[in-house]
Amino acid sequence: MHRYDLISCHDCGVLHRRRPVRPREKARCVRCRSIMYRGMHSDASRMAAIILTALIVYVIAQCFPIVELEVNGNVSRATLLGAIVVLWQGHMPLVAAAVFLFTILLPAVELLSLLHVTLSLAGGHKPKLFNVLLYAVHLARRWGMTEVLMIGILITIVKMTSLATVVLEPGLFAFAALTLMLAIVVSFDPKMLWNLGDALAPQPDVPPPVPQAALACHVCGLVSADSGTRRQDCPRCHARLHHRHPDSLGRTWALLIAAAILYVPANLLPVMYTHSLFGLEDDTIISGVLYFWDSGSPALASIIFVASILVPLLKLAALSLLAWTAQRRSRWRPLQRTRLYRMVEFVGRWSMLDIFVITLTVALVRFQTLATITAGPGALAFCAVVVLTMLASMQFDPRLIWDPVPPNGEQHA
């Protein structure tokens, strides 16, 4: 068996032998049914062409205005970077930094790193800093939120149609195309690129580690034998290896408690202040939901309610259940709890929807004496809740769900 034939399930830790799958096929864990990898074309040149196209669309999306508003001869337009600058100048530097990180910096890091790696592999050699670039892709992909931003842009446009004349700008269509392109780029598994890179410099076969003494790298996917030393690094990407995430439950509980405390002010404090000829008006997340409902847009009201109020609350409840049952080493419905964890990971970023709507609204509604909108303290609290719950889901080790479960007792104690 080749040293790269073994693969460990991210969610339950069971070892499998890698099997070839055709494009669009999926390889699932035999125990918890998690998707471990997907079949895809391994042509580095084809990947590089798609990534380069996505990068060009990304530059267009960042450089051109997204939307333009016109009220009584006053015109306001905004790019994404311009909206972030307005938010920064409005005494919300932490929120502005988070939006910049999730929508501009991390997507750029992913695209540039992947482009350099795939172009080098297509040329028949491993690039310098190969491990660093793919590790950057691994991190950027977990936090990039272009698809969430696109929905936030659409909600902002619908909201603005009742206040001013809306003109769609090239940046909007570029972001729509970028969202579709990134959906294709995400299918390029960095772990497969690691294998392509290693194929250029073949490594000797080694005996496979026994399941009880195997350590799986969550960055590059390589399964290594446990040396028994206090500290062990992955021989391929040099990431730290652990049998289970250190202090997983303690860190998860700490992050959940902090998020639960901030959830209350996030919903009670104003997220936006509107300064107009009629005075000062503040808006909370709940009042925003009511605004869309009363203005004849129940679908948008439902989206905001689910993404900004219901999802964070359900994430807190779901992660608390997972941490509590794992701490008790419960054998209760491990398969269903694993599916719950996957759902929490998937929906985690969508709670940033309201923050992106606030960012664009603050940048667009700046009509001097007519009306100006600024961000409120609730936006900062809400942004912190989203980030903390995402960190909590990342700190939780789903393999703890399966540790007390015997091989033939997956469903019940």
Side-chain angles (χ1 to χ4, degrees):
M1 182 185 298
H2 193 274
R3 64 183 299 185
Y4 301 138
D5 284 345
L6 283 178
I7 184 172
S8 175
C9 176
H10 173 274
D11 290 343
C12 70
V14 170
L15 289 179
H16 300 74
R17 176 178 291 184
R18 184 183 292 273
R19 302 290 185 183
V21 293
R22 291 175 293 183
R24 301 180 183 177
E25 289 183 339
K26 305 172 184 176
R28 292 183 178 272
C29 174
V30 297
R31 191 185 196 194
C32 70
R33 308 303 299 164
S34 297
I35 298 175
M36 294 188 296
Y37 58 94
R38 303 172 189 268
M40 58 174 293
H41 297 286
S42 58
D43 185 355
S45 299
R46 179 175 177 268
M47 294 183 200
I50 295 174
I51 294 166
L52 179 59
T53 304
L55 189 59
I56 294 172
V57 175
Y58 168 87
V59 173
I60 296 173
Q62 302 298 338
C63 294
F64 285 87
I66 299 172
V67 66
E68 177 185 295
L69 298 186
E70 192 274 329
V71 178
N72 297 330
N74 296 300
V75 177
S76 174
R77 61 174 61 91
T79 62
L80 177 58
L81 183 59
I84 294 172
V85 170
V86 171
L87 196 61
W88 182 283
Q89 295 172 344
H91 308 292
M92 284 290 165
L94 294 179
V95 179
V99 176
F100 174 78
L101 185 69
F102 300 151
T103 62
I104 295 182
L105 182 60
L106 290 179
V109 168
E110 178 180 357
L111 290 174
L112 290 172
S113 299
L114 281 174
L115 181 63
H116 184 54
V117 168
T118 52
L119 284 175
S120 299
L121 293 178
H125 66 278
K126 288 176 65 173
K128 294 182 178 179
L129 302 177
F130 179 74
N131 293 336
V132 175
L133 291 172
L134 287 184
Y135 185 69
V137 173
H138 170 75
L139 293 179
R141 187 164 286 183
R142 304 184 78 176
W143 291 96
M145 302 183 186
T146 301
E147 70 281 13
V148 184
L149 172 66
M150 186 63 213
I151 301 300
I153 292 173
L154 296 178
I155 292 176
T156 304
I157 291 173
V158 173
K159 183 177 181 179
M160 293 297 105
T161 54
S162 62
L163 304 175
T165 302
V166 177
V167 179
L168 305 183
E169 295 286 347
L172 171 65
F173 303 103
F175 268 112
L178 179 62
T179 302
L180 297 177
M181 294 296 298
L182 286 178
I184 300 174
V185 172
V186 167
S187 66
F188 301 156
D189 188 355
K191 296 178 182 178
M192 183 271 295
L193 294 176
W194 250 299
N195 293 338
L196 287 178
D198 289 337
L200 299 176
Q203 301 293 327
D205 291 351
V206 296
V210 296
Q212 293 80 5
L215 292 175
C217 178
H218 273 198
V219 178
C220 72
L222 181 67
V223 178
S224 306
D226 188 354
S227 63
T229 58
R230 184 174 181 181
R231 171 173 175 167
Q232 183 175 348
D233 295 335
C234 175
R236 178 158 67 177
C237 71
H238 308 297
R240 184 73 63 85
L241 296 180
H242 301 286
H243 180 65
R244 295 294 182 263
H245 295 329
D247 199 20
S248 171
L249 293 177
R251 296 180 183 183
T252 301
W253 278 119
L255 292 165
L256 284 177
I257 292 172
I261 293 173
L262 289 173
Y263 181 79
V264 177
N267 285 277
L268 296 182
L269 294 178
V271 294
M272 289 190 299
Y273 293 111
T274 302
H275 307 264
S276 67
L277 297 174
F278 303 101
L280 177 64
E281 180 181 354
D282 54 37
D283 293 299
T284 63
I285 295 177
I286 297 175
S287 67
V289 173
L290 296 177
Y291 168 83
F292 279 108
W293 187 272
D294 294 336
S295 62
S297 301
L300 290 179
S302 301
I303 291 174
I304 296 176
F305 174 78
V306 171
S308 301
I309 298 178
L310 192 59
V311 167
L313 185 61
L314 292 178
K315 281 195 301 182
L316 289 171
L319 286 171
S320 298
L321 174 65
L322 293 173
W324 180 68
T325 52
Q327 192 167 357
R328 294 181 61 248
R329 297 186 59 83
S330 172
R331 300 180 183 180
W332 174 72
R333 298 189 179 276
L335 183 59
Q336 286 75 12
R337 283 189 285 150
T338 303
R339 290 173 178 170
L340 179 62
Y341 172 75
R342 287 187 225 129
M343 188 180 303
V344 169
E345 275 203 316
F346 174 77
V347 304
R349 65 184 63 196
W350 286 94
S351 297
M352 281 293 291
L353 182 63
D354 215 52
I355 297 299
F356 296 151
V357 172
I358 294 169
T359 301
L360 293 171
T361 303
V362 167
L364 286 169
V365 184
R366 303 189 68 80
F367 295 113
Q368 304 301 327
T369 57
L370 291 178
T372 303
I373 293 180
T374 57
L380 177 58
F382 185 78
C383 184
V385 170
V386 177
V387 172
L388 288 171
T389 52
M390 289 183 66
L391 287 172
S393 67
M394 294 176 187
Q395 287 296 323
F396 180 77
D397 193 334
R399 295 173 294 182
L400 296 174
I401 297 173
W402 293 91
D403 282 348
V405 180
N408 297 321
E410 283 84 358
Q411 292 301 316
H412 300 283

